[in-house]
Amino acid sequence: MIAAQLTARFPNGMTSLAILLHIEHVTGSYGAAGLVLAATSIGQAVAGPVTSRWMGRWGMRRVLTITLVICALSITGIALLSLPLPGYMAFGLIAGLSTPPVQSAVRTIYPKMVTSRQLTPLFSLDASLQEIIWIVAPVLITFVATQVGTVPALLVIVVILVGGGSWFILSPEVGRVRIPRSRRGIGKVLTKPAVLLATVVGFLLIGACSAVEAGVVATFDHGGLEAGLVLAVFSVGSLAGGLVSGRIPISRWAMARRLAIVTVGLSLTMVSLNVWWLGGTLVLAGIGIAPALAVLFAMTSASVKFSDTAEAFGWVGTGQLIGAAAGSAIAGFLIDDIGPQGAYLAATGFAAAGLVVAIVFVRGFPDLRYRDASPIPDTEPVPTIR
């Protein structure tokens, strides 16, 4: 299941970069490419909680299959059709809206696959292994786009999307797990303090990561070898942190402690832009990222009924997508104004804001030291009169 969902989500680390390179190649304008990416991101942000909620109404396999087909056709259209800019934006929007909700699906399935004691370590393992996507995928798609062409790069994404998505959809667990239909209106799940906090903290954490990516690219001349290596060690730090923290109990202060590591690491990046210094400080910052994401997943799962789990993870995913866009945008403006250091300043600001939220609203984080991260059952005991 882990292998299938990682393969199905692998295009997530490739699509934006491939679209950027392709639209810039076709139009000769990074501005036009940015508009298409913005349309795609908006579609993904809107679709997250909606398509996740649909899985409780129509079933996971049906929703995943329909979105997979539409998304694959949309990316194929961007690759093969010669269109005016609004046409590319429309296809990008459709591709974003139809992004298969694999992440919400698999994190809804996990509580049904393992014992309650194993669930938190599984979330930590999942958060760690997803770093493979962000280490390998951008390198692979950049190589294909620059050495073979941007059209083949987009078609490679379609092949992986269909292959990985089909593998995940056909997994027995996807067919066995049934999500009860939620009786609450869409968005009501955000009234749960833990879900709202997970969405806000996810926005700030991923915003910091996106700002770092922009800063590293700006520091090393738009993606030289050093940029790839520095971003790789950033992800390796996250991978190592997640694997080590898997068995550590999650208290109310767990998020604050893990974000403190990220904030300290990112603040040190502003001391020097030397490749060795940046690599070392980003390894330190990375050590806290996957563990913090594991807390997000566990607190979300433990705070809602099983029927609301998919939608809750959809909202958390939407928060992260908006954070990625905001982090990149703010970092971009600061890079233009004061240089690459501005991006690291933005990243530190995002991480510090997340740390402040985790400290000020610590009572809103569930204490999972003495309970598991399983969702609340939809059925409850009915009292009887004897």
Side-chain angles (χ1 to χ4, degrees), residues 67-83:
T67 53
L68 174 65
V69 171
I70 296 173
C71 188
L73 290 174
S74 301
I75 296 174
T76 302
I78 293 174
L80 300 181
L81 299 179
S82 180
L83 301 168

Side-chain angles (χ1 to χ4, degrees), residues 21-340:
L21 294 171
H22 178 69
I23 300 301
E24 191 280 330
H25 175 73
V26 171
T27 65
S29 168
Y30 277 106
L35 290 174
V36 176
L37 279 183
T40 305
S41 298
I42 290 170
Q44 290 174 328
V46 171
V50 177
T51 54
S52 298
R53 185 180 175 88
W54 283 349
M55 290 191 292
R57 178 176 299 179
W58 295 312
M60 278 193 281
R61 275 186 170 157
R62 181 178 298 178
V63 173
L64 288 166
T65 301
I66 292 173
T67 53
L68 174 65
V69 171
I70 296 173
C71 188
L73 290 174
S74 301
I75 296 174
T76 302
I78 293 174
L80 300 181
L81 299 179
S82 180
L83 301 168
L85 179 59
Y88 285 122
M89 291 177 65
F91 271 94
L93 178 63
I94 295 170
L97 288 170
S98 59
T99 300
V102 174
Q103 181 169 285
S104 298
V106 74
R107 290 180 182 141
T108 300
I109 292 171
Y110 279 160
K112 301 298 182 181
M113 290 180 58
V114 298
T115 64
S116 57
R117 186 172 296 180
Q118 295 172 317
L119 186 55
T120 298
L122 178 57
F123 280 133
S124 183
L125 177 63
D126 180 85
S128 301
L129 292 180
Q130 74 177 8
E131 293 297 332
I132 295 172
I133 297 173
W134 309 110
I135 295 172
V136 178
V139 176
L140 174 62
I141 205 63
T142 300
F143 176 81
V144 175
T146 55
Q147 301 301 315
V148 184
T150 57
V151 170
L154 287 169
L155 295 180
V156 165
I157 291 174
V158 173
V159 170
I160 298 175
L161 178 66
V162 173
S166 299
W167 182 13
F168 179 73
I169 291 167
L170 295 174
S171 299
E173 294 83 359
V174 176
R176 283 198 295 262
V177 175
R178 296 285 186 272
I179 304 174
R181 185 168 179 172
S182 178
R183 298 179 181 179
R184 298 157 62 90
I186 188 169
K188 290 288 186 180
V189 71
L190 286 173
T191 60
K192 296 281 187 179
V195 178
L196 183 59
L197 282 170
T199 303
V200 172
V201 172
F203 163 85
L204 294 168
L205 178 60
I206 301 304
C209 294
S210 294
V212 167
E213 292 173 1
V216 170
V217 170
T219 301
F220 300 106
D221 297 324
H222 303 286
L225 177 61
E226 296 92 343
L229 292 175
V230 169
L231 289 176
V233 298
F234 186 36
S235 294
V236 168
S238 178
L239 175 62
L243 294 176
V244 170
S245 68
R247 291 288 178 179
I248 299 176
I250 295 176
S251 69
R252 294 185 187 277
W253 287 98
M255 180 62 78
R257 287 195 293 267
R258 298 172 191 210
L259 288 178
I261 296 172
V262 178
T263 304
V264 170
L266 293 181
S267 65
L268 291 174
T269 59
M270 292 182 288
V271 174
S272 170
L273 297 183
N274 174 271
V275 62
W276 296 104
W277 178 263
L278 282 179
T281 55
L282 289 180
V283 167
L284 173 61
I287 288 172
I289 291 173
L293 289 172
V295 174
L296 289 183
F297 303 151
M299 66 187 283
T300 302
S301 175
S303 303
V304 297
K305 290 185 176 182
F306 182 63
S307 57
D308 292 324
T309 305
E311 183 190 342
F313 280 118
W315 284 110
V316 172
T318 290
Q320 293 176 8
L321 283 168
I322 297 173
S328 297
I330 292 173
F333 284 121
L334 289 175
I335 290 169
D336 289 341
D337 189 31
I338 62 176

